[in-house]
Amino acid sequence: MADRDASEPPGPAAAAELRDFLTEVPAPAAVGHRIVHSGPHLTGHTLIDARVRALLADVADLAPLHVTPALPVVDAAQELLPDVPHVACFDTVFHRDLPAPARTYAVPERWRAEHGLRRYGFHGLSYAWALERTAQALGRPVGILQVVLVHLGGGCSACAVRNGRSVDTTMGLTPLEGLVMSRRSGSLDPGALLWLQRRHGLSTDELDDALHRHSGLLGLSGTSGDTRDLVRARAEGDAAAALALATFTLSCRRGIASMAASLDRLDALVFTGEIGEDQPEVREEICSALTVLGVRGGLLVPDLEDLMREGIRRIDHPGSSVPVLVVATGETQQIAAETRRVLDM
Protein backbone atom coordinates (compact mmCIF):
# COMPACT_ATOMS: atom_id res chain seq x y z
CA MET A 1 0.00 0.00 0.00
CA ALA A 2 1.00 3.62 -0.40
CA ASP A 3 -0.19 6.76 1.29
CA ARG A 4 0.18 10.46 0.99
CA ASP A 5 -0.83 12.83 3.76
CA ALA A 6 -1.39 16.56 3.60
CA SER A 7 -1.26 18.86 6.60
CA GLU A 8 -3.65 21.42 5.09
CA PRO A 9 -7.25 21.03 3.89
CA PRO A 10 -7.59 20.24 0.18
CA GLY A 11 -7.41 23.24 -2.10
CA PRO A 12 -7.31 23.99 -5.84
CA ALA A 13 -4.24 21.78 -6.29
CA ALA A 14 -5.93 18.70 -4.83
CA ALA A 15 -6.96 17.29 -8.22
CA ALA A 16 -3.41 17.49 -9.55
CA GLU A 17 -2.01 15.96 -6.35
CA LEU A 18 -4.48 13.10 -6.60
CA ARG A 19 -3.66 12.55 -10.27
CA ASP A 20 0.06 12.38 -9.45
CA PHE A 21 -0.57 9.93 -6.63
CA LEU A 22 -2.64 7.63 -8.82
CA THR A 23 0.24 7.32 -11.29
CA GLU A 24 2.37 5.80 -8.51
CA VAL A 25 0.02 3.12 -7.18
CA PRO A 26 -2.02 0.18 -8.49
CA ALA A 27 -5.52 1.03 -9.68
CA PRO A 28 -7.92 0.96 -6.71
CA ALA A 29 -11.01 -1.23 -6.67
CA ALA A 30 -13.03 1.43 -4.83
CA VAL A 31 -12.68 4.85 -3.22
CA GLY A 32 -13.90 5.75 0.26
CA HIS A 33 -14.44 9.40 1.08
CA ARG A 34 -14.75 10.83 4.57
CA ILE A 35 -17.75 13.17 4.59
CA VAL A 36 -18.30 14.79 7.97
CA HIS A 37 -22.00 15.69 7.68
CA SER A 38 -24.69 13.48 6.11
CA GLY A 39 -27.56 15.90 6.54
CA PRO A 40 -31.11 14.71 7.26
CA HIS A 41 -31.66 12.47 4.23
CA LEU A 42 -28.65 10.12 4.36
CA THR A 43 -28.53 7.85 7.40
CA GLY A 44 -25.94 5.30 6.29
CA HIS A 45 -22.65 5.10 4.42
CA THR A 46 -23.57 5.03 0.75
CA LEU A 47 -22.49 4.99 -2.88
CA ILE A 48 -22.06 8.47 -4.30
CA ASP A 49 -24.34 9.10 -7.27
CA ALA A 50 -25.83 12.31 -8.65
CA ARG A 51 -28.59 12.37 -6.03
CA VAL A 52 -26.18 11.85 -3.12
CA ARG A 53 -23.78 14.45 -4.52
CA ALA A 54 -26.61 17.00 -4.67
CA LEU A 55 -27.71 16.23 -1.12
CA LEU A 56 -24.15 16.72 0.13
CA ALA A 57 -23.87 20.08 -1.58
CA ASP A 58 -27.11 21.11 0.13
CA VAL A 59 -25.72 20.46 3.64
CA ALA A 60 -22.17 21.70 3.08
CA ASP A 61 -22.85 24.91 5.02
CA LEU A 62 -23.50 22.82 8.16
CA ALA A 63 -19.84 21.76 8.21
CA PRO A 64 -18.07 24.40 6.11
CA LEU A 65 -14.56 23.51 7.26
CA HIS A 66 -15.07 19.91 6.22
CA VAL A 67 -17.72 19.22 3.58
CA THR A 68 -17.08 22.29 1.44
CA PRO A 69 -13.43 21.38 0.68
CA ALA A 70 -14.23 17.64 0.50
CA LEU A 71 -16.70 17.85 -2.37
CA PRO A 72 -14.24 19.11 -5.04
CA VAL A 73 -12.02 16.15 -4.09
CA VAL A 74 -14.97 13.79 -4.59
CA ASP A 75 -15.54 15.34 -8.02
CA ALA A 76 -11.87 15.08 -8.95
CA ALA A 77 -11.65 11.47 -7.81
CA GLN A 78 -14.77 10.50 -9.76
CA GLU A 79 -13.39 12.18 -12.85
CA LEU A 80 -10.03 10.44 -12.52
CA LEU A 81 -11.57 7.08 -11.56
CA PRO A 82 -14.94 6.95 -13.35
CA ASP A 83 -15.17 3.16 -13.49
CA VAL A 84 -14.83 2.33 -9.78
CA PRO A 85 -17.42 2.85 -7.03
CA HIS A 86 -17.07 5.85 -4.74
CA VAL A 87 -18.51 5.58 -1.23
CA ALA A 88 -19.36 8.39 1.18
CA CYS A 89 -18.51 7.47 4.78
CA PHE A 90 -20.15 9.82 7.26
CA ASP A 91 -19.11 10.87 10.74
CA THR A 92 -22.76 11.33 11.63
CA VAL A 93 -23.81 7.69 11.04
CA PHE A 94 -22.42 6.48 14.38
CA HIS A 95 -24.92 8.77 16.12
CA ARG A 96 -27.96 8.10 13.91
CA ASP A 97 -29.85 6.33 16.71
CA LEU A 98 -29.42 9.05 19.34
CA PRO A 99 -32.41 8.94 21.69
CA ALA A 100 -34.93 11.73 21.13
CA PRO A 101 -34.00 13.67 24.32
CA ALA A 102 -30.32 13.65 23.30
CA ARG A 103 -30.87 14.81 19.74
CA THR A 104 -33.60 17.41 20.40
CA TYR A 105 -32.97 21.12 20.98
CA ALA A 106 -35.38 23.03 23.22
CA VAL A 107 -36.48 25.44 20.51
CA PRO A 108 -39.85 26.12 18.88
CA GLU A 109 -41.40 23.11 17.16
CA ARG A 110 -41.54 25.01 13.87
CA TRP A 111 -37.75 25.35 13.83
CA ARG A 112 -37.38 21.64 14.40
CA ALA A 113 -40.00 20.61 11.87
CA GLU A 114 -39.40 23.12 9.10
CA HIS A 115 -35.66 23.70 9.43
CA GLY A 116 -34.56 20.31 10.74
CA LEU A 117 -32.83 21.80 13.78
CA ARG A 118 -31.45 18.83 15.76
CA ARG A 119 -28.23 17.38 17.11
CA TYR A 120 -26.32 15.07 14.74
CA GLY A 121 -22.96 14.41 16.41
CA PHE A 122 -19.63 13.90 14.67
CA HIS A 123 -16.28 12.06 14.88
CA GLY A 124 -18.29 8.90 14.30
CA LEU A 125 -15.67 7.13 12.19
CA SER A 126 -13.11 7.71 14.93
CA TYR A 127 -15.54 6.52 17.60
CA ALA A 128 -16.50 3.37 15.70
CA TRP A 129 -12.84 2.41 15.39
CA ALA A 130 -12.02 3.23 19.03
CA LEU A 131 -15.05 1.33 20.35
CA GLU A 132 -14.08 -1.91 18.60
CA ARG A 133 -10.49 -1.65 19.81
CA THR A 134 -11.69 -0.93 23.36
CA ALA A 135 -13.92 -4.00 23.39
CA GLN A 136 -11.02 -6.15 22.23
CA ALA A 137 -8.67 -4.71 24.86
CA LEU A 138 -11.18 -5.24 27.68
CA GLY A 139 -12.15 -8.70 26.42
CA ARG A 140 -15.84 -7.81 26.43
CA PRO A 141 -18.46 -7.65 23.65
CA VAL A 142 -19.19 -4.23 22.22
CA GLY A 143 -22.88 -4.78 22.88
CA ILE A 144 -22.54 -4.71 26.67
CA LEU A 145 -20.08 -1.83 27.06
CA GLN A 146 -20.90 1.53 28.63
CA VAL A 147 -18.02 3.89 27.92
CA VAL A 148 -17.18 7.53 27.33
CA LEU A 149 -15.11 8.10 24.20
CA VAL A 150 -13.20 11.36 23.81
CA HIS A 151 -11.78 12.52 20.48
CA LEU A 152 -9.28 15.35 20.99
CA GLY A 153 -7.62 16.89 17.95
CA GLY A 154 -8.22 19.95 15.80
CA GLY A 155 -11.86 19.25 16.57
CA CYS A 156 -12.84 17.88 19.97
CA SER A 157 -15.87 15.99 21.22
CA ALA A 158 -17.02 13.36 23.69
CA CYS A 159 -19.55 10.60 23.24
CA ALA A 160 -21.50 8.29 25.57
CA VAL A 161 -21.85 4.70 24.33
CA ARG A 162 -24.40 2.43 25.98
CA ASN A 163 -24.49 -1.20 24.88
CA GLY A 164 -22.58 -0.43 21.72
CA ARG A 165 -24.67 2.56 20.60
CA SER A 166 -24.11 6.30 20.85
CA VAL A 167 -26.67 7.73 23.27
CA ASP A 168 -25.26 11.23 23.74
CA THR A 169 -22.55 13.45 22.31
CA THR A 170 -21.24 16.97 22.75
CA MET A 171 -21.31 18.17 19.13
CA GLY A 172 -24.64 19.20 17.67
CA LEU A 173 -26.19 20.45 14.46
CA THR A 174 -22.69 21.43 13.40
CA PRO A 175 -19.17 20.51 14.53
CA LEU A 176 -18.91 23.87 16.31
CA GLU A 177 -20.84 22.90 19.46
CA GLY A 178 -19.36 21.29 22.54
CA LEU A 179 -15.79 21.21 23.83
CA VAL A 180 -13.20 23.94 23.37
CA MET A 181 -11.17 23.03 20.28
CA SER A 182 -7.95 24.06 18.59
CA ARG A 183 -9.38 27.04 16.73
CA ARG A 184 -13.13 26.56 17.27
CA SER A 185 -14.92 28.04 20.24
CA GLY A 186 -17.10 25.11 21.23
CA SER A 187 -20.34 25.91 23.04
CA LEU A 188 -21.06 29.56 23.69
CA ASP A 189 -24.00 31.38 25.26
CA PRO A 190 -26.31 32.11 22.29
CA GLY A 191 -27.18 35.35 24.00
CA ALA A 192 -23.56 36.42 23.60
CA LEU A 193 -23.84 36.08 19.81
CA LEU A 194 -27.06 38.09 19.74
CA TRP A 195 -25.39 40.77 21.89
CA LEU A 196 -22.35 40.92 19.60
CA GLN A 197 -24.61 41.38 16.60
CA ARG A 198 -26.93 43.95 18.16
CA ARG A 199 -24.56 45.95 20.36
CA HIS A 200 -21.34 45.73 18.39
CA GLY A 201 -22.57 45.22 14.84
CA LEU A 202 -20.70 42.03 14.06
CA SER A 203 -21.89 40.44 10.85
CA THR A 204 -22.72 36.77 10.31
CA ASP A 205 -19.53 36.36 8.29
CA GLU A 206 -17.43 37.95 11.04
CA LEU A 207 -18.94 35.66 13.66
CA ASP A 208 -18.49 32.62 11.44
CA ASP A 209 -14.83 33.38 10.81
CA ALA A 210 -14.06 34.17 14.45
CA LEU A 211 -15.82 31.11 15.90
CA HIS A 212 -14.40 28.64 13.38
CA ARG A 213 -10.86 29.94 12.87
CA HIS A 214 -9.78 32.34 15.61
CA SER A 215 -11.26 30.98 18.84
CA GLY A 216 -10.57 27.91 20.97
CA LEU A 217 -7.01 27.39 22.17
CA LEU A 218 -5.73 29.90 19.62
CA GLY A 219 -8.15 32.58 20.75
CA LEU A 220 -7.36 31.97 24.41
CA SER A 221 -3.58 31.90 24.07
CA GLY A 222 -3.16 34.42 21.28
CA THR A 223 -0.27 32.36 19.96
CA SER A 224 -1.17 28.77 19.05
CA GLY A 225 -3.96 26.23 18.82
CA ASP A 226 -1.52 23.36 19.35
CA THR A 227 -1.43 21.93 22.87
CA ARG A 228 2.23 20.94 22.44
CA ASP A 229 3.18 24.58 21.91
CA LEU A 230 1.04 25.64 24.85
CA VAL A 231 2.50 23.07 27.25
CA ARG A 232 5.98 24.38 26.42
CA ALA A 233 4.89 28.01 26.71
CA ARG A 234 3.21 27.37 30.07
CA ALA A 235 6.43 25.84 31.39
CA GLU A 236 8.20 29.08 30.41
CA GLY A 237 5.72 31.18 32.39
CA ASP A 238 3.23 32.17 29.68
CA ALA A 239 0.06 33.01 31.62
CA ALA A 240 -2.17 33.04 28.52
CA ALA A 241 -0.99 29.56 27.56
CA ALA A 242 -1.71 28.37 31.10
CA LEU A 243 -5.23 29.80 30.95
CA ALA A 244 -5.83 28.22 27.53
CA LEU A 245 -4.85 24.77 28.79
CA ALA A 246 -6.83 25.13 32.03
CA THR A 247 -9.93 26.23 30.12
CA PHE A 248 -9.51 23.40 27.62
CA THR A 249 -9.09 20.66 30.19
CA LEU A 250 -12.03 21.97 32.23
CA SER A 251 -14.13 21.90 29.08
CA CYS A 252 -13.07 18.28 28.49
CA ARG A 253 -13.96 17.30 32.05
CA ARG A 254 -17.36 18.95 31.74
CA GLY A 255 -17.97 17.08 28.50
CA ILE A 256 -16.89 13.73 29.92
CA ALA A 257 -19.01 14.18 33.04
CA SER A 258 -22.07 15.19 31.02
CA MET A 259 -21.66 12.08 28.84
CA ALA A 260 -21.33 9.87 31.91
CA ALA A 261 -24.73 11.18 33.02
CA SER A 262 -26.26 9.18 30.14
CA LEU A 263 -24.80 5.89 31.39
CA ASP A 264 -25.57 3.50 34.25
CA ARG A 265 -21.90 2.86 34.92
CA LEU A 266 -18.53 3.75 33.42
CA ASP A 267 -16.71 0.71 32.05
CA ALA A 268 -13.87 2.78 30.57
CA LEU A 269 -12.74 6.25 29.57
CA VAL A 270 -11.14 6.21 26.14
CA PHE A 271 -8.98 8.89 24.51
CA THR A 272 -8.28 9.12 20.79
CA GLY A 273 -7.37 11.83 18.27
CA GLU A 274 -4.03 13.59 17.90
CA ILE A 275 -4.15 15.30 21.30
CA GLY A 276 -5.67 12.25 22.94
CA GLU A 277 -2.84 10.09 21.61
CA ASP A 278 0.29 12.13 22.13
CA GLN A 279 -0.38 14.75 24.81
CA PRO A 280 0.07 13.01 28.17
CA GLU A 281 -0.05 16.30 30.09
CA VAL A 282 -3.58 16.94 28.81
CA ARG A 283 -4.76 13.42 29.63
CA GLU A 284 -3.31 13.69 33.13
CA GLU A 285 -4.90 17.05 33.85
CA ILE A 286 -8.28 15.79 32.68
CA CYS A 287 -8.22 12.52 34.61
CA SER A 288 -6.67 13.75 37.83
CA ALA A 289 -9.70 16.00 38.38
CA LEU A 290 -12.34 13.38 37.52
CA THR A 291 -12.25 11.49 40.80
CA VAL A 292 -16.01 12.02 41.10
CA LEU A 293 -16.36 9.46 38.27
CA GLY A 294 -13.87 7.03 39.78
CA VAL A 295 -11.14 8.10 37.35
CA ARG A 296 -7.68 8.71 38.80
CA GLY A 297 -4.57 10.54 37.72
CA GLY A 298 -1.02 9.22 37.82
CA LEU A 299 -1.51 7.79 34.35
CA LEU A 300 1.09 5.77 32.52
CA VAL A 301 2.68 7.38 29.47
CA PRO A 302 2.97 4.90 26.60
CA ASP A 303 5.68 5.28 24.01
CA LEU A 304 4.05 6.83 20.96
CA GLU A 305 5.70 4.42 18.53
CA ASP A 306 4.48 1.48 20.61
CA LEU A 307 0.97 2.94 20.64
CA MET A 308 0.97 3.42 16.88
CA ARG A 309 2.18 -0.13 16.37
CA GLU A 310 -0.16 -1.81 18.86
CA GLY A 311 -3.13 0.48 18.28
CA ILE A 312 -4.29 0.67 21.91
CA ARG A 313 -2.79 0.90 25.39
CA ARG A 314 -4.33 0.87 28.85
CA ILE A 315 -2.77 3.70 30.87
CA ASP A 316 -4.42 3.53 34.30
CA HIS A 317 -2.63 1.76 37.13
CA PRO A 318 -3.61 -1.78 38.19
CA GLY A 319 -6.49 -1.72 40.63
CA SER A 320 -8.06 1.42 39.20
CA SER A 321 -11.84 1.34 39.37
CA VAL A 322 -12.26 2.81 35.87
CA PRO A 323 -9.92 1.73 33.04
CA VAL A 324 -8.41 4.57 31.01
CA LEU A 325 -7.30 3.68 27.50
CA VAL A 326 -5.65 5.42 24.56
CA VAL A 327 -6.54 4.31 21.03
CA ALA A 328 -4.49 5.31 18.01
CA THR A 329 -6.70 7.21 15.58
CA GLY A 330 -8.16 4.86 12.96
CA GLU A 331 -10.46 6.95 10.78
CA THR A 332 -8.72 5.89 7.58
CA GLN A 333 -8.98 2.21 8.49
CA GLN A 334 -12.64 2.67 9.44
CA ILE A 335 -13.37 4.31 6.07
CA ALA A 336 -11.82 1.29 4.37
CA ALA A 337 -13.94 -1.08 6.45
CA GLU A 338 -17.17 0.85 5.84
CA THR A 339 -16.45 1.08 2.11
CA ARG A 340 -16.00 -2.68 1.92
CA ARG A 341 -19.24 -3.20 3.84
CA VAL A 342 -21.23 -0.96 1.49
CA LEU A 343 -19.82 -2.80 -1.52
CA ASP A 344 -19.97 -6.25 0.13
CA MET A 345 -16.29 -6.71 -0.71
Side-chain angles (χ1 to χ4, degrees):
M1 297 190 297
D3 63 67
R4 176 147 336 148
D5 298 316
S7 59
E8 297 297 325
E17 293 170 356
L18 182 57
R19 183 182 297 107
D20 292 343
F21 177 67
L22 290 172
T23 65
E24 304 169 6
V25 298
V31 181
H33 298 268
R34 181 195 179 199
I35 307 294
V36 166
H37 210 308
S38 65
H41 302 297
L42 300 168
T43 57
H45 311 300
T46 186
L47 279 167
I48 301 174
D49 55 18
R51 170 183 169 273
V52 169
R53 176 62 178 80
L55 288 172
L56 295 179
D58 190 52
V59 300
D61 59 344
L62 290 176
L65 298 185
H66 302 89
V67 178
T68 301
L71 292 182
V73 180
V74 170
D75 297 338
Q78 288 187 311
E79 182 178 342
L80 291 167
L81 297 164
D83 299 321
V84 304
H86 293 252
V87 175
C89 300
F90 298 109
D91 276 298
T92 46
V93 166
F94 187 75
H95 308 287
R96 65 186 168 190
D97 296 322
L98 279 176
R103 69 172 183 264
T104 303
Y105 287 114
V107 295
E109 191 275 338
R110 183 171 61 86
W111 291 8
R112 292 179 272 122
E114 296 182 12
H115 306 313
L117 195 62
R118 53 156 291 187
R119 175 172 283 107
Y120 283 90
F122 302 95
H123 289 135
L125 295 164
S126 174
Y127 287 144
W129 179 261
L131 180 60
E132 289 287 344
R133 307 286 85 68
T134 298
Q136 293 169 8
L138 297 179
R140 302 173 67 182
V142 166
I144 67 169
L145 285 181
Q146 298 200 33
V147 299
V148 172
L149 307 173
V150 189
H151 180 105
L152 302 179
C156 301
S157 71
C159 171
V161 172
R162 176 199 287 268
N163 301 334
R165 292 184 177 274
S166 170
V167 294
D168 203 357
T169 189
T170 56
M171 282 182 167
L173 176 72
T174 77
L176 188 58
E177 186 181 0
L179 310 184
V180 171
M181 306 178 217
S182 176
R183 293 170 178 263
R184 280 175 265 168
S185 64
S187 292
L188 186 66
D189 178 357
L193 303 180
L194 297 173
W195 178 74
L196 288 168
Q197 287 181 310
R198 290 171 176 165
R199 182 72 175 266
H200 297 284
L202 270 68
S203 68
T204 301
D205 287 343
E206 288 175 310
L207 291 173
D208 183 278
D209 184 57
L211 296 176
H212 279 101
R213 297 176 177 84
H214 304 287
S215 297
L217 288 168
L218 176 63
L220 287 163
S221 69
T223 54
S224 178
D226 190 321
T227 54
R228 294 168 296 187
D229 295 336
L230 298 177
V231 167
R232 287 191 291 267
R234 180 178 63 181
E236 295 168 359
D238 186 326
L243 176 62
L245 288 167
T247 303
F248 176 71
T249 54
L250 174 59
S251 170
C252 292
R253 295 196 301 274
R254 285 172 170 166
I256 292 166
S258 69
M259 293 302 100
S262 290
L263 303 177
D264 298 321
R265 63 181 188 274
L266 187 56
D267 293 332
L269 174 62
V270 183
F271 290 94
T272 189
E274 297 90 339
I275 297 172
E277 291 168 8
D278 66 5
Q279 196 70 68
E281 296 90 346
V282 168
R283 294 194 302 260
E284 180 65 29
E285 288 169 36
I286 292 171
C287 290
S288 63
L290 278 177
T291 54
V292 68
L293 297 181
V295 176
R296 295 289 186 271
L299 301 174
L300 304 173
V301 180
D303 179 80
L304 192 56
E305 289 187 7
D306 291 342
L307 174 62
M308 295 299 107
R309 183 176 60 255
E310 298 170 14
I312 186 168
R313 293 292 294 272
R314 185 167 171 174
I315 59 173
D316 59 295
H317 285 281
S320 298
S321 57
V322 176
V324 180
L325 299 99
V326 181
V327 177
T329 305
E331 288 162 312
T332 302
Q333 297 96 314
Q334 192 66 30
I335 290 168
E338 302 296 356
T339 298
R340 291 188 178 98
R341 268 192 278 270
V342 168
L343 301 174
D344 196 24
M345 294 173 68

